[in-house]
Amino acid sequence: LFLAVPPCHKNDKGVVEIGTPGLPSSLYRRVRVPLVDFCERLATAFEGQMTSNALCFVADASCGLGSDTLLNVVKECDHGVATISNPAWMTCLSILLSKIDKTHTITVPQFERIIFSLCRLDAWRVRNSVGVSRTVLVSLPGQSCVPLLLPLIQKVFVHERHVFVYDGASYTVEMGLALPKKAR
């Protein structure tokens, strides 16, 4: 896992702060850390903290159309829902999941801890964008990632919100509403 660490600077009061406003990210220092160990420590730290933000995961099986539409609606409504669109780390993690027991020794429980810690880290990153709704919307990257990630995300975040988007959704709802009341 590579982390980009912004350079430090002293503010007007002489206190050292991380990150310089307006500084290009090319000046950030890249640090390589062991994925499992780092995420385990991060997960332990996040478990000890209470959060008032709810997570909402969007699993999209409509070639990205549903996620894009939902993210645009959420942004236009401006109710303070922070959005995280297709995190790159989820794509990388799904590649590792597809090769489980073949090229690495990461176990399923370790994958669960990695997902927990990195989702919470992403939610912490956008915490200042969260408004009155206290929700962070995370869209899973691509149809090929969803079958690999979704079972683990549902297991780890069992009490969070999950939205499923697929091409035939409106047709399915229409058919469900057309059913006689006995069949519903």
Side-chain angles (χ1 to χ4, degrees):
L1 178 66
F2 284 98
L3 300 175
V5 181
C8 298
H9 75 282
K10 288 188 179 183
N11 64 14
D12 298 337
K13 298 177 183 176
V15 177
V16 175
E17 293 180 343
I18 295 177
T20 304
L23 194 65
S25 61
S26 62
L27 298 178
Y28 285 22
R29 188 171 33 127
R30 280 182 36 174
V31 179
R32 185 175 181 181
V33 295
L35 178 65
V36 175
D37 293 338
F38 173 76
C39 289
E40 181 59 40
R41 289 180 185 204
L42 192 60
T44 302
F46 277 126
E47 283 175 338
Q49 294 181 353
M50 289 296 291
T51 181
S52 59
N53 294 338
L55 296 175
C56 178
F57 296 95
V58 180
D60 191 350
S62 66
C63 298
L65 268 160
S67 291
D68 289 347
T69 303
L70 185 59
L71 290 173
N72 287 334
V73 168
V74 164
K75 287 178 184 175
E76 288 297 318
C77 289
D78 196 28
H79 285 289
V81 176
T83 58
I84 300 170
S85 181
N86 307 323
W89 66 263
M90 282 189 176
T91 304
C92 295
L93 203 61
S94 66
I95 292 168
L96 287 175
L97 278 165
S98 70
K99 298 177 181 185
I100 200 162
D101 296 330
K102 295 176 187 166
T103 60
H104 57 79
T105 59
I106 302 174
T107 64
V108 172
Q110 288 172 326
F111 274 116
E112 292 169 1
R113 297 291 282 176
I114 291 167
I115 288 171
F116 171 78
S117 63
L118 295 180
C119 283
R120 289 288 301 271
L121 181 63
D122 260 352
W124 183 81
R125 180 180 55 82
V126 297
R127 71 191 179 285
N128 293 331
S129 303
V130 176
V132 294
S133 68
R134 309 301 307 159
T135 301
V136 177
L137 186 76
V138 182
S139 67
L140 277 61
Q143 284 179 265
S144 61
C145 298
V146 170
L148 296 165
L149 293 172
L150 191 59
L152 296 175
I153 289 173
Q154 286 179 311
K155 183 177 178 187
V156 171
F157 295 104
V158 72
H159 297 294
E160 299 294 346
R161 301 170 187 143
H162 300 273
V163 176
F164 305 95
V165 182
Y166 53 96
D167 290 340
S170 61
Y171 179 72
T172 303
V173 171
E174 181 183 345
M175 292 300 292
L177 292 173
L179 289 174
K181 288 189 179 182
K182 290 180 187 176
R184 286 193 249 165

